[in-house]
Amino acid sequence: MSAVTGMRALVTGASSGIGAATADVLAAKGATVLRTSRTITGPSSFACDLVDGVEPLVSWAGDVDLLVCNAGLGYAGPFAAMPAAKITELVGLNLVSQLELVRAVLPGMIARDRGHVVLVSSIAGAMGVADEAVYSATKAALKAFADALRLESRPIGVTVVHPGVIDTPFFERRGAPYTRRRPRPIPPVAVAEALVAAVEHNRAEIFVPSWLRFPARLNGAFPAMVRTLQRRFG
Ligand SMILES: NC(=O)c1ccc[n+]([C@@H]2O[C@H](COP(=O)([O-])OP(=O)(O)OC[C@H]3O[C@@H](n4cnc5c(N)ncnc54)[C@H](OP(=O)(O)O)[C@@H]3O)[C@@H](O)[C@H]2O)c1
């Protein structure tokens, strides 16, 4: 039996991509899965825009054992030309709504002495990506938040997930397709399976694919060298 069997799990951004795959993997392992996004329909699903606030969602979901904060939006283009409204939208969805959701469910987890929070960041949160300055900033903030939260909220598990390039509608939605030859996009189920395994084993941080931990660690140890490599290879 898996550690997620019997858990009551709330997954945001569950209509598509990584969130949909995660909800399916959790359900296959015997979790009770509550799905949310703006457009989602069906049983155990709740449609809401997280930028408008999390209260309606939290009331609908009730107590949850596992919160997967996955909903997110990208933006690609030079920061100097980024519309102010887009900055507000990215920070509102990718960061503020995640903090609000965790704030809402964490006291219940602490009172029950069990629970797990997953924050879906990005490789862009571990090392800044050109033309994705605000996106990188929101994802780096999630990683810092997760590190602090883990220290102060034991025994509640906190996992931060850094996906690389994943084959989802993310790029289409942000209005800029993924055009690089490498790394090749991988299927969202690979992230979903790694994410659920991280919950099962209470891992603090995972990279998907796992080799991405090397550039991230290199950036931590030798940032000047990584800046040179990024300028040369993008
Ligand atoms: N794909 C990648 O290469 C990649 C890489 C690194 C990190 N990530 C991260 O992984 C997470 C999932 O992305 P994905 O690739 O699975 O993208 P996706 O297929 O575009 O899914 C995004 C999900 O977020 C929901 N969503 C968007 N805006 C919302 C809002 N205002 N309120 C509530 N829900 C909203 C969308 O559903 P509705 O439109 O129905 O609301 C959808 O279910 C994101 O946080 C993303 O930053 C993705």
Side-chain angles (χ1 to χ4, degrees), residues 1-34:
M1 196 170 79
S2 158
V4 303
T5 305
M7 272 188 169
R8 190 172 161 84
L10 174 60
V11 181
T12 73
S15 62
S16 169
I18 294 168
T22 300
D24 290 346
V25 170
L26 286 167
K29 288 186 174 248
T32 298
V33 183
L34 309 171

Side-chain angles (χ1 to χ4, degrees), residues 178-189:
Y178 180 72
T179 51
R180 295 165 62 129
R181 287 188 56 219
R182 292 190 193 284
R184 291 234 176 93
I186 63 170
V189 70

Side-chain angles (χ1 to χ4, degrees), residues 13 15-16 18 37-39 49 70 135 139 164 166 168 173:
S15 62
S16 169
I18 294 168
S37 85
R38 289 167 304 181
T39 60
D49 188 330
N70 163 76
Y135 180 73
K139 295 299 188 176
I166 315 301
T168 73
R173 284 177 199 255

